[in-house]
Every structure is written in structure tokens, then in C-alpha cells.
Amino acid sequence: MYEFDWSSIPGSLPFLWQGMMISLGITIVAVAAGIAWGTVLAVMRLSPSRPISLFATLYVSLFRSVPLVMVLLWFFLIVPSLLRDVLRLSHATDLRLASAMVGFSLFEAAYYSEIMRAGIQSVSKGQSSAALALGMTPLQAMWHVVLPQAFRNMVPLLLTQAIILFQDTSLVYVSALADFFGAAYKVGDRDGRLVEMLLFAGAVYFVLCSAASWGVRVLRRRVLA
Amino acid sequence: MISLRNVHKSYGHVQVLNGCSAEIRKGEVIVVCGPSGSGKSTLIKCINGLEPIDRGEIVVEGVSVGARGTDLPKLRARVGMVFQHFELFPHMTVMDNLTLAQVKVLGRGADQARQKAGALLDRVGLREHAAKHPGQLSGGQQQRVAIARALALDPVCMLFDEPTSALDPEMINEVLDVMTALARDGMTMVVVTHEMGFARKVANRVVFMDQGCIVEQAPSAEFFAAPKSERAQQFLSKVLEH
């Protein structure tokens, strides 16, 4: 019978906390940048210009057709050397966090763009007609009239996607970056208490994400009401 | 001020406008009527370029709507439009609905825009609702706000696309009253409507459409007293029976 030994946890809490900050940091940056770039992609995709919409379509289907972990690996391998060349940084500078943020942002933008596209299409055509009839350009109509409503309609979906993203940040373990999951793994490995640490980490993810999902459900009810 | 010359438009195989021509002079109030599906709404949406046309020409104040190089936003800012379903912006207050285009399109200062908006809300009797959102207003109130929103840009003419069709009966008159006052002030108006009482009282001329064609245009007194075409006679007997 396996004997559980949870004694590694209390001493490693500060280290785990640092890891949680990295996980949350990546999530926040990727959600913000992903929604911004995803919205641009959604608008491009609905553009009457063929090359512009084709670019957005290709971008979205490319990122949706490859595994996230592979995208992250590319970015760990490519972005650091690229940034070092461009910014003339020393090899000692740790760019793993930056490349994780870039990789997640570009990847998530593909998913956010699909959500925003649905959001834009959920706003009635009469709204943009009214904006155009007032003399706004198509971009002004999009920015002042359609996007605010699209965004509001899609808040629950955008947040749900953010929760998934938060879980996916654990994939940065491929770069040995100590996010929350990576930190828990390291501690467990060091103390020979991997089972306990991974159970603990799983419980933390479970509590945080189900609390957030519950929050989204409450919000959705209020948005629909 | 507005001339339509041999305007054609089709959606795929369906011919919605089939050679429509009309002249609208400054200060005239024109009512466009006809059975549903006759192309009335499409016709007025072509006037400000919301619907492109396939053939023919539409000229508004000397500017050809469909021509290459026409600054459509600039033209539309001078042509007010009121929609069947109001299309107020639900995420903004009534005041912001009225100031948005003034600031973003005409480049007016915020204070000037608010002043203009306030005066127009007075005119449609809704000053005290300025801080509300459109969802808090009745249909009739929303449509009056929509009229004020269009007027805020000082348009040279106004297009109305079935402005009372989505309203409960008891709210129709408050909107028609605003439109009647506007007509009395000399605004050039093109109104698609089934309100024959309004047409009879306010319109200078009636344009009767059927199956994408302008079948008849006549001064309104003449049209209601003795419609020339058989189709107009049939239409009138149906709408006036009750």
C-alpha cells in the first residue's frame, strides 16, 4: 500500500507561488494579445478584399491544425535566437517566458478570432447599415458599433477560452520553464514525492478552474437576462 | 435634388428593381407605396448606396451614388435614414447615439454635438430620456430618437424605410406627428410606408410600385381620388377598405 507523504508541500509553497505567477502572467498576456490580434483577424476574415480574408483564413486554419505543444516548441527554438539577434542580447538572458507568451498569443489568436467572428455575425446587419447611413466608414462602423456589441455577446465564450488557456499554460514544461505545473513537478522530482505533488497541483487547477467556470455561468445568466 | 434614372437591380435571378425612374425636388415629400416585395425598401436603400445598383444612375444633389470615386460616407452623412427596426445603438445612451456620428463623421466638438443633440431631443419631445439606453424606451420613443439621430447631421433630405411598420398601433401617431412636423418645416422626404392617411395628408406625390417597377406617380390628391393603373386601384381598395 502506497503511503502518502504531503510534507513537501508547505516548504515549497513560495516556489509554487512563483510558478503560479508565471502561469497567470502567460495567461493574461495571451488572453489580451490573443483577443486583440484575434479581433483583427476576424475583421480581416470578413473583409471584402480577397487577399486579406485569405490571409486570415490561412492563419486561422494553420494554427488550428497543429498541436499547441508543437507551436510552443517552435517558438522556444526560434524566437529566443531571433530576439537575441535583433536586440543584441547576451546568451544569458532568459527568453523562455517571452517566447512562451508570444507563442501562446499567436496560437490563441486563431481561436479567439473564430469567437469574435461569430460575435460580429451575431450583431444584426441593420446595425452596420445604420452606422454606414450616418456616414461612418466601414471601419468606423465596425469599431464604434459592431465590435462593442460583438464583444459583449461573446464575453462568456472569451472567458471560457481563457480558462482553457490557463490549463494549457502547463505545456510550457517542454521548455523547463517553472510555471505552476513545472514547479510542482520539480519539487516532486527533487523529494521523490511526484504523486503527491501532481495530485496537489491537479487539485489547485481543479479548484481555480471550476470556480472560474462557475463565475462565467453566473455572468452568462446576467448577460442573457 | 434626387434623380433615379432607369435603375435596375437583381439578387441572383430575382429582378428587384426593373427600370425605375423618378425625380424628387427640394422640399418635396414623396410616399412610396405598393404591395410587399415590390422593391420599395430596396429602392430607397439604393438612394444612399446601402444597396448597390446593377444598371442605371442615381444622382443626389449632383453626386452620382454608384460612380467610381464617389465618397459614399460623405454623401450618406448628408442623407438621413430612418429604419423599420430603429437600429439605435443598444450599447450607448440616447445622447451618445445622437452625438457619435456628429463627432466621428462631421468632426464637431463634443460640446457642440451635445447641444445639437439636446435641441433635437427637445424637438421630438424626449429630452428627459437623454441618459437612458434605447432598450429602456418604447418603440415609438426609439423611432423618434432615430429620427433625431439622423437629423443631428443636418441632412439635406431624409429617407424613411417603413418607419411605423414595427410599432404597436398606439405608437404610430407619435412618430407620424414628428414626421409631419418635419415635412412642414420643408424637409425633402422619401417615405416608404403603408400609412395611407399620412400619404394623403402630408405627401406631395405618391409613387406606386409593383414587381420592381414604378407603375404610377401622381400628386397625392390625384392618386387617392382616381388612381390610373388597375394595380394601384386594386392595392388601394385593399388597404383602404378597413
Side-chain angles (χ1 to χ4, degrees):
Chain A
M1 184 66 194
Y2 186 82
E3 295 262 333
F4 284 109
D5 174 2
W6 305 98
S7 60
S8 302
I9 296 175
S12 56
L13 281 178
F15 182 57
L16 291 173
W17 178 254
Q18 281 175 12
M20 182 53 80
M21 289 301 108
I22 289 181
S23 297
L24 287 174
I26 294 173
T27 305
I28 289 165
V29 168
V31 167
I35 289 178
W37 176 222
T39 303
V40 173
L41 284 168
V43 173
M44 287 169 78
R45 184 139 185 202
L46 297 168
S47 151
S49 154
R50 204 61 198 110
I52 291 179
S53 82
L54 192 66
F55 167 81
T57 308
L58 285 177
Y59 181 99
V60 170
S61 44
L62 173 70
F63 276 96
R64 282 167 59 112
S65 322
V66 291
L68 173 56
V69 79
M70 194 180 280
V71 173
L72 292 176
L73 262 179
W74 289 341
F75 276 88
F76 291 132
L77 299 175
I78 297 164
V79 174
S81 58
L82 200 76
L83 282 181
R84 277 195 193 99
D85 287 350
V86 173
L87 302 173
R88 298 183 190 290
L89 299 171
S90 83
H91 278 268
T93 321
D94 187 358
L95 290 172
R96 285 177 304 171
L97 183 60
S99 28
M101 286 172 170
V102 173
F104 270 106
S105 300
L106 294 179
F107 185 86
E108 290 298 321
Y111 286 84
Y112 280 120
S113 101
E114 288 296 272
I115 295 175
M116 286 309 292
R117 187 162 68 109
I120 290 168
Q121 286 169 336
S122 76
V123 179
S124 80
K125 189 170 176 285
Q127 286 285 304
S128 51
S129 292
L132 293 176
L134 287 166
M136 290 186 215
T137 62
L139 277 182
Q140 281 178 321
M142 184 58 80
W143 181 252
H144 294 294
V145 175
V146 178
L147 282 181
Q149 297 180 60
F151 192 77
R152 189 140 93 180
N153 294 347
M154 290 297 129
V155 161
L157 276 180
L158 295 170
L159 289 177
T160 302
Q161 182 69 24
I163 295 170
I164 297 170
L165 169 59
F166 172 65
Q167 296 162 21
D168 285 348
T169 54
S170 58
L171 289 173
V172 297
Y173 82 88
V174 293
S175 74
L177 190 63
D179 74 316
F180 180 68
F181 173 77
Y185 190 94
K186 277 181 187 167
V187 172
D189 204 28
R190 181 196 65 195
D191 298 352
R193 288 288 156 205
L194 209 46
V195 174
E196 288 84 346
M197 287 313 290
L198 292 187
L199 279 174
F200 174 69
V204 171
Y205 276 112
F206 174 77
V207 169
L208 286 180
C209 292
S210 33
S213 298
W214 176 79
V216 171
R217 271 201 301 280
V218 170
L219 189 77
R220 188 194 300 257
R221 234 173 282 141
R222 281 179 51 192
V223 167
L224 290 180
Chain B
M1 164 176 278
I2 302 171
S3 47
L4 309 163
R5 292 173 204 143
N6 196 25
V7 174
H8 286 77
K9 177 178 181 63
S10 54
Y11 295 117
H13 297 298
V14 187
Q15 190 82 26
V16 253
L17 295 178
N18 203 350
C20 297
S21 298
E23 286 289 329
I24 295 150
R25 287 180 295 274
K26 193 170 163 48
E28 265 192 317
V29 177
I30 307 287
V31 159
V32 183
C33 63
S36 46
S38 56
K40 308 167 300 232
S41 289
T42 308
L43 185 72
I44 72 162
K45 281 180 185 150
C46 291
I47 294 177
N48 67 353
L50 281 182
E51 294 281 357
I53 59 176
D54 300 336
R55 207 140 53 79
E57 195 181 25
I58 298 177
V59 179
V60 178
E61 284 239 301
V63 180
S64 173
V65 177
R68 240 168 218 283
T70 293
D71 186 345
L72 266 183
K74 197 173 163 192
L75 173 79
R76 287 174 182 145
R78 308 182 62 213
V79 180
M81 185 156 199
V82 174
F83 296 83
Q84 182 177 358
H85 296 287
F86 330 133
E87 304 300 350
L88 293 176
F89 305 138
H91 57 298
M92 296 178 184
T93 62
V94 165
M95 178 54 84
D96 291 341
N97 265 276
L98 266 71
T99 55
L100 178 68
Q102 290 190 67
V103 174
K104 300 297 173 192
V105 175
L106 300 185
R108 285 183 186 154
D111 283 342
Q112 194 194 352
R114 293 179 71 84
Q115 224 166 24
K116 177 92 190 170
L120 284 164
L121 285 176
D122 268 338
R123 189 162 159 189
V124 299
L126 294 169
R127 181 72 170 244
E128 68 273 26
H129 298 291
K132 289 187 183 167
H133 280 77
Q136 298 168 276
L137 303 182
S138 73
Q141 290 172 328
Q142 289 191 49
Q143 194 61 299
R144 281 145 69 199
V145 171
I147 294 172
R149 178 176 71 176
L151 291 174
L153 301 182
D154 296 314
V156 294
C157 62
M158 290 277 287
L159 310 173
F160 293 84
D161 183 11
E162 305 208 19
T164 57
S165 301
L167 293 177
D168 292 334
E170 74 270 21
M171 293 171 185
I172 290 176
N173 276 331
E174 59 185 86
V175 172
L176 292 181
D177 287 346
V178 170
M179 290 168 62
T180 306
L182 197 58
R184 301 258 184 272
D185 290 345
M187 176 62 78
T188 310
M189 293 163 61
V190 183
V191 186
V192 173
T193 185
H194 296 290
E195 294 296 328
M196 290 301 122
F198 175 82
R200 204 193 286 262
K201 267 194 308 189
V202 183
N204 303 106
R205 257 192 308 146
V206 174
V207 169
F208 176 75
M209 290 185 71
D210 192 22
Q211 294 175 358
C213 299
I214 294 181
V215 178
E216 187 169 344
Q217 359 185 354
S220 55
E222 217 172 278
F223 179 79
F224 286 106
K228 289 190 201 71
S229 63
E230 198 181 320
R231 278 186 279 180
Q233 286 163 15
Q234 280 173 359
F235 174 76
L236 279 181
S237 73
K238 274 181 203 149
V239 286
L240 295 179
E241 242 165 36
H242 307 285

